[in-house]
């Protein structure tokens, strides 16, 4: 059975052609560029070669020229199979190098198979082709070679620019979608939350003790959803948040109380002791942002701490800043992961989302909020020994 060498730098192109030819009983060898193709052809028997034109290391034109100049290879049929064909001159040039055929991608599978079969049959009766260009034609060859390759590169550049513009448009669409979806999701959830509260408080009619508990569970889960959506909005629509930003003096103790309310039920569910300190600190910033940052840290502490553990918040004043440390007795974080976890969507364990919930956004947001408030975040952790995230914020001027 004939052996065909396919030369292309794109694995998907190689794969398609290889499947077609192997499916029709041919043996197939592959190479990613001209130089590899020559190495394969000089070490294995090849009956026909199909080559792309634009490839790194050695392009198809140079390959064809070397192929035809090599006594051992020159009788082997050579097909160009290229997607970047735009000009008849390219085809003429390719054939002038000694190629037998110039096919434009994507060609019909049957057409390729016929061409291959015809060339393999004709090979048997064909005299070895001479090397096409003599020394005197070298300069003309080089000129034409440069012209065609530059032309093809220009095409490629245009393709890339087009693809780039499409990607940019898609990126904008994705941002719009994320922004709209997160805002749209928040509105009905807020309504549901209101009703769950109304029913659970028995203000709209009598309810049983069990129903009160069930409403509390609805509210806790809604809180979690809203928290996730707030994290999404923080990244998807920072402008909207900036427009709504209200910077003022904030007693840190009010943040503790709100976070205790929001994170308490989940901690209780996991039998985790959640402890907040007495606070004296006053900082300057946006209340809902700082709340979100602290909640993200405490929520992570509860999330990554096994049942029965502890999440302890402590506060200290150092110079003109308050250090709010959220320490947990949880799974801890490897040293090499400690920088990466502040990146958007990064999670140490990719199965985390299903196991613990979350989107890998929380810490990216904490870092951004700390930065906006003129502060920073620090981390000390070791696997199996828990983690301490410290939020450092400048104190408000007295
Ligand atoms: P997520 O929504 O996944 O919690 P984060 O940005 O808040 O996203 O955290 C990113 C990753 O950092 C987490 O998925 C987890 O792997 C790790 N991580 C964050 N906080 C802790 C913690 N207290 N203990 C252990 N690992 C943590």
């Amino acid at each position: 059975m004939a052996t065909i060498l396919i030369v292309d730098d794109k694995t998907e192109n190689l794969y398609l052609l290889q499947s077609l030819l192997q499916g029709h009983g041919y043996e197939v060898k592959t190479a990613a560029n001209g130089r590899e193709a020559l190495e394969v052809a000089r070490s294995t028997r090849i009956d026909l070669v199909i080559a792309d034109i634009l490839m790194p290391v050695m392009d198809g034109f140079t390959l064809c020229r070397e192929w035809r100049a090599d006594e051992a290879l020159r009788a082997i049929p050579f097909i160009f199979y290229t997607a970047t064909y735009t000009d008849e001159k390219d085809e003429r040039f390719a054939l002038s190098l000694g190629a037998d055929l110039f096919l434009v991608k994507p060609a019909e599978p049957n057409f390729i198979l016929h061409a291959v079969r015809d060339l393999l049959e004709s090979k048997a009766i064909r005299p070895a082709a001479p090397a096409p260009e003599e020394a005197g034609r070298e300069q003309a060859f080089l000129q034409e070679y440069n012209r065609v390759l530059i032309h093809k590169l220009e095409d490629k550049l245009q393709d890339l620019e087009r693809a780039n513009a499409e990607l940019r448009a898609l990126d904008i669409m994705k941002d719009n979608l994320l922004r709209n979806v997160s805002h749209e999701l928040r509105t009905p959830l807020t309504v549901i939350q209101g009703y769950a509260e109304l029913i659970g408080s028995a203000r709209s009619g009598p309810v049983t003790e069990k129903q009160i508990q069930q409403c509390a569970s609805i509210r806790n889960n809604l809180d979690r959803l809203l928290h996730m959506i707030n994290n999404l909005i923080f990244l998807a629509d920072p402008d909207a948040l900036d427009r709504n930003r209200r910077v003022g003096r904030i007693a840190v103790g009010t943040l503790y109380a709100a976070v205790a309310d929001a994170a308490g039920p989940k901690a209780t569910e996991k039998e985790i002791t959640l402890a907040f300190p007495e606070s004296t600190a006053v900082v300057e910033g946006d209340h809902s942002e700082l709340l979100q940052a602290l909640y993200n840290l405490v929520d992570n502490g509860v999330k990554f701490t096994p049942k029965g553990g502890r999440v302890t918040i402590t506060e200290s004043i150092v110079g003109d800043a308050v250090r709010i440390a959220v320490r947990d007795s949880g799974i801890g974080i490897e040293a090499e992961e400690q920088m990466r976890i502040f990146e958007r969507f990064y999670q140490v364990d990719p199965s985390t989302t299903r196991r613990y919930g979350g989107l890998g956004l929380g810490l990216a947001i904490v870092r951004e909020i700390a930065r906006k408030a003129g502060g920073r975040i620090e981390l000390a952790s070791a696997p199996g020994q828990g983690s301490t995230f410290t939020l450092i914020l400048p104190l408000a001027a007295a």
Side-chain angles (χ1 to χ4, degrees):
M1 180 43 69
T3 302
I4 299 177
L5 173 61
I6 313 173
V7 197
D8 202 312
D9 59 327
K10 301 217 176 43
T11 31
E12 64 273 20
N13 290 347
L14 284 178
Y15 178 75
L16 283 175
L17 206 50
Q18 184 173 14
S19 313
L20 173 72
L21 294 169
Q22 280 174 340
H24 287 78
Y26 294 105
E27 195 163 315
V28 172
K29 302 265 177 228
T30 60
N33 59 60
R35 186 171 308 154
E36 257 185 55
L38 286 172
E39 277 164 22
V40 174
R42 285 171 182 154
S43 59
T44 333
R45 189 184 64 88
I46 296 293
D47 298 297
L48 182 141
V49 60
I50 303 179
D52 189 19
I53 293 179
L54 270 192
M55 292 176 289
V57 187
M58 184 192 279
D59 62 86
F61 289 150
T62 312
L63 169 67
C64 184
R65 201 162 171 243
E66 300 237 348
W67 195 269
R68 290 304 184 220
D70 185 321
E71 295 249 349
L73 302 180
R74 72 169 56 140
I76 300 171
F78 195 108
I79 301 179
F80 276 117
Y81 186 38
T82 173
T84 46
Y85 168 67
T86 43
D87 197 329
E88 266 182 30
K89 280 195 204 153
D90 296 358
E91 179 169 0
R92 272 208 302 280
F93 179 65
L95 297 177
S96 81
L97 295 176
D100 297 275
L101 199 61
F102 190 89
L103 290 179
V104 180
K105 281 178 199 167
E108 277 286 307
N110 271 337
F111 191 77
I112 299 176
L113 291 169
H114 273 121
V116 166
R117 207 180 45 226
D118 289 352
L119 277 172
L120 284 172
E121 278 168 11
S122 72
K123 179 193 160 200
I125 48 166
R126 196 165 61 144
E133 72 287 332
E134 279 92 50
R137 291 167 56 198
E138 184 68 9
Q139 198 176 350
F141 160 77
L142 282 176
Q143 268 176 1
E144 188 58 5
Y145 172 79
N146 286 342
R147 186 198 66 75
V148 175
L149 273 194
I150 287 170
H151 186 63
K152 283 188 174 297
L153 282 173
E154 280 168 354
D155 272 358
K156 202 68 169 189
L157 198 66
Q158 273 179 8
D159 279 355
L160 284 175
E161 273 167 4
R162 250 195 313 275
N164 208 2
E166 273 168 27
L167 281 177
R168 271 200 303 270
L170 280 175
D171 205 40
I172 292 173
M173 249 171 74
K174 180 209 75 187
D175 283 352
N176 288 343
L177 182 76
L178 197 60
R179 188 172 54 236
N180 294 341
V181 165
S182 36
H183 281 298
E184 288 302 315
L185 284 175
R186 188 155 67 168
T187 316
L189 281 178
T190 320
V191 176
I192 298 172
Q193 200 182 33
Y195 277 110
E197 203 162 321
L198 190 67
I199 298 170
S201 67
R203 274 183 280 137
S204 57
V207 277
T208 64
E209 199 50 43
K210 188 147 192 206
Q211 284 164 335
I212 291 175
Q213 275 169 21
Q214 287 165 344
C215 280
S217 174
I218 293 175
R219 283 208 326 265
N220 292 340
N221 284 288
L222 284 172
D223 279 349
R224 297 194 56 70
L225 260 179
L226 279 166
H227 169 68
M228 245 187 257
I229 290 167
N230 284 345
N231 277 349
L232 271 180
I233 291 179
F234 193 91
L235 293 173
D237 197 5
D239 294 345
L241 292 170
D242 279 346
R243 277 195 302 277
N244 295 331
R245 211 158 174 260
R246 304 260 177 282
V247 175
R249 291 169 67 84
I250 292 159
V252 175
T254 61
L255 299 177
Y256 296 153
V259 173
D261 262 3
K266 192 171 154 202
T268 312
E269 206 177 288
K270 282 182 82 178
E271 294 166 24
I272 286 174
T273 313
L274 182 58
F276 287 88
E278 291 294 323
S279 175
T280 53
V282 177
V283 294
E284 205 156 288
D286 175 274
H287 188 271
S288 63
E289 276 183 15
L290 292 176
L291 184 63
Q292 191 174 2
L294 193 60
Y295 176 85
N296 283 357
L297 293 179
V298 173
D299 184 54
N300 276 349
V302 173
K303 192 157 71 172
F304 295 105
T305 297
K307 205 170 167 190
R310 284 183 320 279
V311 175
T312 313
I313 292 85
T314 54
E315 179 182 299
S316 57
I317 309 284
V318 179
D320 52 6
V322 56
R323 299 176 62 92
I324 304 167
V326 179
R327 191 173 77 238
D328 65 59
S329 61
I331 59 174
I333 305 157
E334 301 266 5
E336 57 269 28
E337 302 282 2
Q338 292 184 14
M339 286 304 285
R340 302 215 58 193
I341 56 172
F342 290 94
E343 292 167 16
R344 291 174 181 198
F345 299 109
Y346 187 80
Q347 297 180 314
V348 174
D349 173 1
S351 63
T352 279
T353 297
R354 260 158 288 131
R355 199 140 39 104
Y356 297 104
L359 299 168
L361 291 175
L363 291 176
I365 288 168
V366 175
R367 189 170 60 173
E368 179 59 14
I369 291 174
R371 190 192 61 76
K372 278 201 205 172
R376 63 181 196 280
I377 176 93
E378 286 178 358
L379 166 61
S381 181
Q385 317 218 339
S387 310
T388 304
F389 287 86
T390 307
L391 184 61
I392 301 157
L393 299 171
L395 289 168

